[in-house]
Amino acid sequence: MRLPPAITGHTEEVLREILRFTGPADGTLSRYFREHPRLGSRERGVIAEAIYGLLRNKSVYTNFAESGSGSPMRRLTLLGLADAVGVESLGGLTEDEASWLERVMQIDRSHLPVAMKANLPAWLWDKLSERFGEDTALTLAESLNKPAPLDLRVNSMRANRDDVAAALAEAPIIAEPTAYAGTCLRVKKKPSIQNLPLFKDGTIEVQDEGSQLLAQLLGARRGEMVADFCAGAGGKTLALGAIMRNTGRLYAFDISEKRLAKLKPRLARSGLSNVHPVVIAHEKDAKIKRLAGKLDRVLVDAPCSGLGTLRRNPDVKWRQTAEGVAELNVKQASILASASRMVKPGGRLVYATCSILDEENEAIVQAFMAEHPDFTLVPASKVLAEQKIELEMGDYLKLYPHLHQTDGFFAAVLERNK
């Protein structure tokens, strides 16, 4: 079935706005769809798929769009739509456009220059190829350029993983246990789950397996005092609350009231009563100082470049810059230092990011330890063994999509000396 020509116009219009990179692509798309309510779910799906395909493969498509006729933005749009649904499904093409598209779609992309195949900005490709070597960097880049699967976290306060998988199968939704996190199910295809009773009653939450592992790495126990220092919308907070079996006291700190507001309905569904959301002005807020030396565990999921989440947010690689990362490094160091003050002797601090860059990860941890000799690095391999998670790691937790089928994550476990 051919798509109506209007779909090409809509895709081009929203693409033009997204490629200005003034904000997240998903937000721009959501707003556009709200402003055009007559677009059906199939049309919205096609437009989104074409846009995300373009963002993933922007280097290649920009190169291809240098040939052909008409405006470059229309050529880019046609390439994205052709990749999403096939040339034969596009309506309203001129004869020239149809033959150009047929030619371009037959190009063997394996012969393109390696930096173009990576579909990363030059600064990021240079960093990754220098660190990993060209072959591994390309494998990593290609894995980051594939769409992420849908992972669910089973709320262990409500059900176990096998029972949830069986209940989903009746929907019928096929979900299989993942390799590492004991609460994770990976769903085949990407069904809508918002209307499922299991979602509405808080039995399942959407959360990448890597993110679930970060929560487990903290090793929070029943009855402890724990903080999720950069809680955001609270995915890890909810996972921690369930790990603590709804006992003790779990603070969810964030500087954004808007982000914490998104936690409230999720918290209500989860059945947890041990979570205390707290808005703070900054990392040195007096509310933090009052807890100095009192907490058993603190998780710092620091604001970062987000480059480990490119499978979900491909626009991030084009919006982020080397200068932006350097600014984040200052913030990351400050947040880690402030959060560490809350940890009591013998307590643990986990510093984590969804980044794949050394300067946001090891470099921040090593600088922190040089200035805070009262903290000792606990090897991630030891903590994973404590948590009975079968995952080969060294001193740090480093997750990559091409190796672990998760988003890119980093974490370091630090213990305050007694």
Side-chain angles (χ1 to χ4, degrees):
M1 191 175 103
R2 277 181 184 267
L3 289 171
I7 295 302
T8 306
H10 282 296
T11 308
E12 185 176 344
E13 192 179 337
V14 73
L15 177 66
R16 194 181 301 279
E17 190 174 344
I18 283 170
L19 289 184
R20 292 189 188 112
F21 297 121
T22 53
D26 58 353
T28 304
L29 265 177
S30 297
R31 195 188 72 247
Y32 188 85
F33 292 152
R34 279 197 305 276
E35 289 168 359
H36 296 81
R38 294 179 72 175
L39 286 167
S41 61
R42 178 173 180 260
E43 285 107 338
R44 290 199 301 269
V46 168
I47 292 167
E49 194 180 338
I51 296 287
Y52 277 89
L54 273 164
L55 291 168
R56 287 192 173 96
N57 301 293
K58 182 170 160 285
S59 299
V60 168
Y61 286 143
T62 304
N63 179 271
F64 288 175
E66 286 170 7
S67 63
S69 57
S71 80
M73 195 61 72
R74 178 167 169 87
R75 294 199 297 269
L76 266 181
T77 303
L78 293 177
L79 286 166
L81 285 165
D83 229 12
V85 295
V87 179
E88 65 288 345
S89 298
L90 300 186
L93 296 180
T94 66
E95 212 172 293
D96 281 354
E97 285 174 335
S99 60
W100 171 75
L101 269 178
E102 290 285 5
R103 278 198 315 278
V104 168
M105 298 314 279
Q106 285 168 14
I107 292 171
D108 182 353
R109 298 183 195 185
S110 65
H111 297 309
L112 293 171
V114 76
M116 193 186 295
K117 277 195 287 190
N119 277 292
L120 296 173
W123 71 269
L124 180 55
W125 170 247
D126 291 346
K127 275 184 190 293
L128 295 183
S129 52
E130 189 182 322
R131 180 179 167 193
F132 295 108
E134 209 169 77
D135 290 349
T136 303
L138 183 60
T139 304
L140 171 58
E142 285 172 341
S143 70
L144 285 165
N145 281 329
K146 292 191 176 100
L150 175 63
D151 285 359
L152 304 175
R153 180 181 61 81
V154 175
N155 179 356
S156 55
M157 297 294 296
R158 296 249 193 255
N160 68 47
R161 183 162 69 169
D162 292 344
D163 291 345
V164 171
L168 286 169
E170 289 172 20
I173 293 169
I174 305 304
E176 295 174 349
T178 54
Y180 311 117
T183 49
C184 190
L185 286 169
R186 185 155 293 155
V187 177
K188 298 285 180 188
K189 299 184 179 172
K190 284 201 179 170
S192 175
I193 64 156
Q194 272 77 5
N195 295 320
L196 291 176
L198 285 169
F199 182 80
K200 287 180 173 176
D201 71 7
T203 302
I204 55 173
E205 279 278 347
V206 175
Q207 189 176 25
D208 183 79
E209 182 179 28
S211 182
Q212 296 184 42
L213 285 171
L214 291 188
Q216 290 179 315
L217 201 70
L218 191 64
R221 299 184 186 131
R222 291 176 189 235
E224 289 187 331
M225 283 181 73
V226 177
D228 183 356
F229 197 65
C230 307
K236 295 178 192 70
T237 310
L238 297 175
L240 288 168
I243 289 167
M244 294 164 70
R245 306 305 295 167
N246 202 20
T247 64
R249 194 169 182 85
L250 174 55
Y251 293 99
F253 291 113
D254 204 275
I255 57 167
S256 167
E257 197 166 349
K258 199 171 165 188
R259 279 198 295 264
L260 279 180
K262 290 179 183 170
L263 167 60
K264 288 191 177 151
R266 300 172 79 187
L267 193 52
R269 286 199 306 269
S270 73
L272 295 172
S273 57
N274 65 338
V275 176
H276 302 270
V278 182
V279 181
I280 53 174
H282 44 71
E283 68 268 21
K284 293 172 183 166
D285 194 300
K287 293 169 191 168
I288 305 298
K289 287 181 181 169
R290 283 199 289 271
L291 292 170
K294 292 181 180 173
L295 299 196
D296 297 282
R297 321 258 162 178
V298 177
L299 172 62
V300 177
D301 181 14
C304 69
S305 64
L307 291 166
T309 69
L310 295 183
R311 302 186 305 167
R312 298 167 205 285
N313 309 302
D315 55 311
V316 165
K317 61 187 171 184
W318 308 115
R319 289 195 291 118
Q320 195 54 266
T321 62
E323 295 75 28
V325 172
E327 285 172 25
L328 281 165
N329 296 156
V330 177
K331 194 181 285 185
Q332 288 156 350
S334 176
I335 287 171
L336 180 57
S338 290
S340 72
R341 295 189 188 112
M342 294 191 289
V343 182
K344 71 183 189 185
R348 280 189 183 174
L349 171 67
V350 169
Y351 172 80
T353 72
C354 49
S355 173
I356 50 174
L357 297 180
D358 278 348
E359 54 263 52
E360 296 188 84
N361 297 336
E362 293 98 317
I364 298 292
V365 173
Q366 284 157 11
F368 170 82
M369 289 179 68
E371 290 175 20
H372 297 81
D374 54 330
F375 279 88
T376 305
L377 184 74
V378 184
S381 53
K382 181 183 175 214
V383 183
L384 290 164
E386 285 171 4
Q387 297 299 317
K388 299 182 171 54
I389 297 166
E390 292 183 20
L391 181 55
E392 290 292 319
M393 285 289 154
D395 281 348
Y396 303 111
L397 179 79
K398 294 181 188 180
L399 298 172
Y400 299 104
H402 67 297
L403 297 176
H404 308 105
Q405 287 71 57
T406 67
D407 283 348
F409 281 106
F410 168 88
V413 184
L414 301 158
E415 191 165 281
R416 184 167 223 153
N417 302 335
K418 286 181 180 171

